[in-house]
Amino acid sequence: MTDPHPLRPLTDDEFVPWARMVANTYGEDRSDEELATERATIELDRTIAAFDGNTPVAGTAAYTRSLAVPGAVLPVAGVTWVGVAPTHRRRGILTAMMRKQLTDLHDSGGEPVAVLRPAEAAIYGRFGYGPATRGARLQCEKRSMTFRPGTEFGDGTIGLLGRDEARPLIEKVYDQVRTGAVGWPGRTDGSWNSRLFDEPQARGGATSLRFAVHRDPSGHVTGYALYRIKSERDIFGNDKSAVQVVECATTCHRAYAALWRFLAGIDLVPWIEYEAAVDEPLPHLLTDPRAARSTPVDRLWVRLVDVDRALAGRRYSTPLNLVLDVEDSFCPWNTGRYRLRADDESAACERTDDPADLQLTSTELGAAFLGGTTLASLAAAGRVKELLPGALARATSAFRGHRDPFYPGGWAFPAY
């Protein structure tokens, strides 16, 4: 039987109607400027599109990226532009696209890990993705943001720079920070263009981006904050105007404290909003930590394309030698037992017939891969089974990192 919706890569002429279809699926319009930025970023040979005749009705794509993982930087497939037109849902098209994307990665020996940030969390678990990083949506009441006595702000300076002057400086800081910050992606020139895209339609009613750059007393750039200001009142006339922090990266704690003191000192705006790390240091700088209210939210989801290559590609907090019994119904090549060995400097993961110590699916491994979601918490939910007493505690400790992983953003388009 002929497939009524064949899957294939896009051609250049097909990108714009395809991209508008994906955006329209989620009630969004994409301007010509946005599409030009996205076209410069997308890799057409890594797109998958479904057509009804000549009309695009579904799609997904992957970006060639790298990601900081515990103790290493791994190549990853950044999954994006996922959508099915409302006229063609519930026909198995999304499942077919996800299966083709992962199968192609496996067959080609491509990236051992795929990652995405879903708009709907209920969709991707059935494809083997697990929630690997969380964020904290901070709402800070500035009048209550008193910094603790003895906070080290240093003697550096903060300047507001224009985009062209700021960009090479903040890119350098980002690259210094991100290799040791689990969950931070590598950014190409195109992904920086997308991250800093600042046409009026992308601002959500806020100002253009502001670039605050911190220098230490010797003049070296040691941090930055990207932010907008949005003026707003609620239906009762209360001022809900906010400094909307887009990104903050620093190479030292003094620059971090100084930038937050700067943001808290911006006049005529009573609130600060920021989607931060779960273990964001900011509350620890404040006399009243409740001035920074926090709402948790999942961010990056991880899928192990090839279990052995992925687990051997990261490092572990403690020595480890155990056998994992992995079930993977969506990518059956992963199903089987693996012996995972790790020490301070290296890791190896190979198939084995030895008795298993833990039993789980690839979804749980994806959730635990970056060291945020713990194997112990998954076991408490009945999703990891301990077959050898003590194995769960050892694996949980080994998979964890010294800080919670955090994804600051940086794909050009979210995976819906």
Side-chain angles (χ1 to χ4, degrees):
M1 178 182 291
T2 303
D3 188 345
H5 308 296
L7 304 180
R8 62 170 175 79
L10 290 169
T11 65
D12 188 57
D13 291 342
E14 293 167 335
F15 172 75
V16 169
W18 175 84
R20 291 196 188 281
M21 177 276 302
V22 174
N24 181 65
T25 298
Y26 300 95
E28 296 183 358
D29 291 321
R30 310 300 278 185
S31 68
D32 291 342
E33 294 84 359
E34 288 175 298
L35 290 175
T37 298
E38 303 295 351
R39 176 61 191 90
T41 305
I42 202 164
E43 302 163 55
L44 290 180
D45 61 338
R46 304 200 72 178
T47 60
I48 298 173
F51 291 84
D52 189 342
N54 294 322
T55 303
V57 295
T60 183
Y63 292 110
T64 303
R65 293 289 185 267
S66 62
L67 189 75
V69 303
V73 175
L74 271 186
V76 298
V79 177
T80 185
W81 287 97
V82 183
V84 179
T87 55
H88 286 70
R89 288 179 178 166
R90 294 171 180 83
R91 303 187 190 187
I93 299 175
L94 176 60
T95 298
M97 291 192 304
M98 292 291 101
R99 179 169 282 115
K100 177 174 172 54
Q101 189 173 59
L102 293 169
T103 301
D104 287 351
L105 281 170
H106 168 71
D107 289 348
S108 67
E111 297 94 337
V113 175
V115 298
L116 54 77
R117 188 176 180 196
E120 294 187 50
I123 293 176
Y124 292 95
R126 65 181 183 268
F127 306 132
Y129 286 88
T133 78
R134 295 179 299 152
R137 286 180 177 157
L138 297 182
Q139 185 179 48
C140 307
E141 190 173 16
K142 287 170 55 183
R143 66 182 180 182
S144 300
M145 290 179 68
T146 302
F147 289 86
R148 290 173 56 86
T151 297
E152 295 185 51
F153 298 105
D155 297 319
T157 59
I158 294 173
L160 285 173
L161 306 183
R163 168 190 301 270
D164 292 343
E165 183 181 3
R167 177 164 170 171
L169 304 177
I170 68 176
E171 287 186 19
K172 185 176 180 180
V173 170
Y174 182 91
D175 287 341
Q176 285 180 270
V177 172
R178 78 106 179 168
T179 54
V182 175
W184 285 42
R187 289 181 181 164
T188 63
D189 185 65
S191 56
W192 270 110
N193 289 340
S194 181
R195 181 62 164 165
L196 302 180
F197 184 77
D198 199 31
E199 293 300 314
Q201 65 272 16
R203 299 172 187 168
T207 65
S208 60
L209 273 177
R210 275 43 170 168
F211 299 78
V213 175
H214 182 275
R215 297 178 186 269
D216 67 17
S218 66
H220 291 105
V221 175
T222 51
Y224 66 87
L226 310 180
Y227 68 94
R228 308 179 191 276
I229 296 175
K230 185 172 183 179
S231 298
E232 189 173 22
R233 292 187 179 272
D234 64 21
I235 60 174
F236 302 106
N238 299 311
D239 193 352
K240 305 299 291 183
S241 300
V243 178
Q244 298 178 334
V245 180
V246 174
E247 186 165 290
C248 182
T250 62
T251 61
C252 67
H253 69 278
R254 292 180 180 86
Y256 180 87
L259 280 165
W260 275 104
R261 180 176 62 175
F262 165 79
L263 293 167
I266 295 174
D267 290 334
L268 304 177
V269 188
W271 299 93
I272 296 177
E273 298 171 349
Y274 180 42
E275 194 158 317
V278 169
D279 58 353
E280 189 71 26
L282 176 62
H284 303 299
L285 292 177
L286 304 177
T287 303
D288 178 7
R290 294 180 184 177
R293 305 170 191 170
S294 175
T295 302
V297 60
D298 62 279
R299 286 183 68 84
L300 201 65
W301 288 49
V302 169
R303 210 296 175 202
L304 304 192
V305 178
D306 290 310
V307 165
D308 50 356
R309 292 196 296 140
L311 293 181
R314 57 155 289 178
R315 299 297 172 260
Y316 298 85
S317 297
T318 59
L320 193 61
N321 186 354
L322 83 166
V323 175
L324 303 171
D325 186 358
V326 180
E327 173 66 27
D328 192 340
S329 59
F330 198 72
C331 296
W333 58 82
N334 282 322
T335 295
R337 295 179 191 170
Y338 299 84
R339 181 169 291 280
L340 176 60
R341 295 185 178 93
D343 56 28
D344 292 341
E345 297 180 354
S346 63
C349 185
E350 300 173 339
R351 288 191 178 267
T352 182
D353 294 324
D354 293 342
D357 303 320
L358 293 179
Q359 187 178 62
L360 71 174
T361 77
S362 56
T363 303
E364 284 74 57
L365 279 176
F369 183 70
L370 295 180
T373 304
T374 69
L375 291 170
S377 67
L378 292 166
R383 295 177 57 178
V384 175
K385 185 177 181 180
E386 184 179 49
L387 304 177
L388 179 69
L392 178 63
R394 294 196 303 275
T396 297
S397 295
F399 271 74
R400 285 286 285 170
H402 70 283
R403 283 194 64 180
D404 278 304
F406 175 65
Y407 172 66
W411 304 148
F413 197 80
Y416 289 98

